[in-house]
Amino acid sequence: MNIKSLFLGSAAALATVSGAHAADAIVAAEPEPLQYVRICDAYGTGYFFIPGKETCLKIGGKIRTEGEWYDAYNPKSRVGTLWHDRAELNFDTATDTEYGPLKTNLILRWEWNDGGDTASKLLFANISLGGFTVGKLDSQYNLYAGYAGDVINDDAIYDGPYELNQLTYNYDAGNGFTGVISLEDSNSTSDSDSYGGAWVTSKADHYGPNVVAGFGYKTDTLGFKVVGGYDSIVEEGAIKARIDAKFGGVEAFLMGGWNTDGDKLNQYAGSYQNESACTTSDGIVHGAKCGWGDWAVWGGLGVPINEKLKWNLQLAYTDSKIFEATTNLKFNPVKNLLIEPEVTYMHYDFINDDTVAGVLRFERNF
């Protein structure tokens, strides 16, 4: 073998090895990165697809801690300070169907007061599709009309029931007109009453639901709603009418309620006040005086001071001569963090007593 043949053979071998390496480089190319979570923005911020499914999930919640001084719901309370903590986890799902989004809502709540754990419960659990909702959430008497104000003690003068099972249909015409009809659980378990017998709260052989119905119209700056509720145990009810207005950044509302029998309390014209608010010095409970009487009225303002600070005011008065005034400041130093000091003044004409109560709340939403 001469030198030329040896050189050519070596070159051929090197070319073969180089080709093999080049082929290996193509086969061993790095795989594309996997997308483990797909964003689902069709139902709002925070939703993502559950892996392997076409259902979207959103997880959220809040942590709240607050100090309370005296009690806007108990004129005889002399508890100087109470510290209260709350934790909530929210789970929302949504799936597209031929009838619109199939949604669920689940909220779990845990609470702690001075001295120990006070509650852990299923707050809300409901399913909705095509305008229908079934399950547990607040009464449509509150949800549809709107709560009494953007304050913590908004129901010191009762505005309606919370946390009950229901079968509800919400109608939206798409032009500002809306309506609602709801069959609601009376939460009846056994024979009992409260507020000196003025409020029959349950009946053992009762099987009929309560009924709520309402309608309204809303524009960008004005809104009007009327909603009524019938308590099938007391066989009485109440009606609320509400006007909302926005001008500039200021929000205002005026709401009035009428009780079908001012001598009784019912689910839709009841009371969250301690019985001491309607108990005379001789120990007799005049339960109707803890509620509205024949009527109640609420009004309020929300005024943004800047992008991080808002001032709120709520005033309320009843035919039973209970007056409430609450004001607070809602301060958001950073996104999803709320610092909220609030003061409430209550006057009870029937027992000639006054109460001033305060709350300092810290809340982190996520």
Side-chain angles (χ1 to χ4, degrees), residues 112-272:
W112 176 279
N113 281 340
D114 285 351
D117 185 13
T118 59
S120 56
K121 65 180 178 181
L122 178 67
L123 182 66
F124 293 156
N126 53 81
I127 304 167
S128 61
L129 175 66
F132 288 94
T133 300
V134 60
K136 187 186 180 193
L137 66 166
D138 287 345
S139 169
Q140 295 296 321
Y141 189 73
N142 275 331
L143 280 176
Y144 180 74
Y147 298 89
D150 193 10
V151 297
I152 298 170
N153 291 327
D154 62 331
D155 56 1
I157 289 181
Y158 186 94
D159 61 340
Y162 304 95
E163 298 178 42
L164 44 75
N165 283 300
Q166 60 192 264
L167 173 59
T168 296
Y169 178 69
N170 280 280
Y171 172 75
D172 189 341
N175 59 2
F177 287 99
T178 61
V180 67
I181 185 165
S182 182
L183 302 179
E184 300 188 344
D185 186 6
S186 63
N187 291 330
S188 175
T189 55
S190 60
D191 290 314
S192 64
D193 55 43
S194 56
Y195 292 92
W199 191 351
V200 179
T201 54
S202 58
K203 186 183 293 184
D205 60 353
H206 176 76
Y207 301 99
N210 295 339
V211 181
V212 172
F215 66 90
Y217 178 74
K218 184 179 180 181
T219 69
D220 291 338
T221 57
L222 289 173
F224 174 74
K225 288 183 176 179
V226 176
V227 63
Y230 175 73
D231 185 327
S232 59
I233 294 178
V234 180
E235 298 182 343
E236 299 289 347
I239 298 173
K240 293 191 300 187
R242 176 177 175 134
I243 298 173
D244 288 276
K246 296 180 181 180
F247 38 95
V250 177
E251 301 175 353
F253 82 94
L254 180 64
M255 182 168 70
W258 172 67
N259 184 3
T260 59
D261 187 343
D263 293 328
K264 297 180 181 178
L265 305 178
N266 65 72
Q267 284 266 25
Y268 305 100
S271 178
Y272 291 125

Side-chain angles (χ1 to χ4, degrees), residues 222-343:
L222 289 173
F224 174 74
K225 288 183 176 179
V226 176
V227 63
Y230 175 73
D231 185 327
S232 59
I233 294 178
V234 180
E235 298 182 343
E236 299 289 347
I239 298 173
K240 293 191 300 187
R242 176 177 175 134
I243 298 173
D244 288 276
K246 296 180 181 180
F247 38 95
V250 177
E251 301 175 353
F253 82 94
L254 180 64
M255 182 168 70
W258 172 67
N259 184 3
T260 59
D261 187 343
D263 293 328
K264 297 180 181 178
L265 305 178
N266 65 72
Q267 284 266 25
Y268 305 100
S271 178
Y272 291 125
Q273 286 291 322
N274 184 275
E275 286 188 358
S276 62
C278 49
T279 302
T280 51
S281 57
D282 56 6
I284 298 176
V285 180
H286 299 260
K289 295 294 185 179
C290 276
W292 298 358
D294 288 326
W295 53 264
V297 62
W298 303 257
L301 283 173
V303 181
I305 298 172
N306 55 45
E307 62 180 11
K308 294 185 176 183
L309 188 64
K310 181 186 177 187
W311 171 68
N312 293 291
L313 173 68
Q314 175 182 293
L315 303 174
Y317 188 67
T318 70
D319 175 50
S320 59
K321 295 182 174 57
I322 301 175
F323 172 74
E324 174 254 339
T326 299
T327 186
N328 69 26
L329 286 172
K330 302 189 80 168
F331 177 47
N332 297 97
V334 297
K335 186 177 180 180
N336 296 324
L337 176 63
L338 170 67
I339 301 173
E340 184 176 9
E342 176 170 298
V343 176

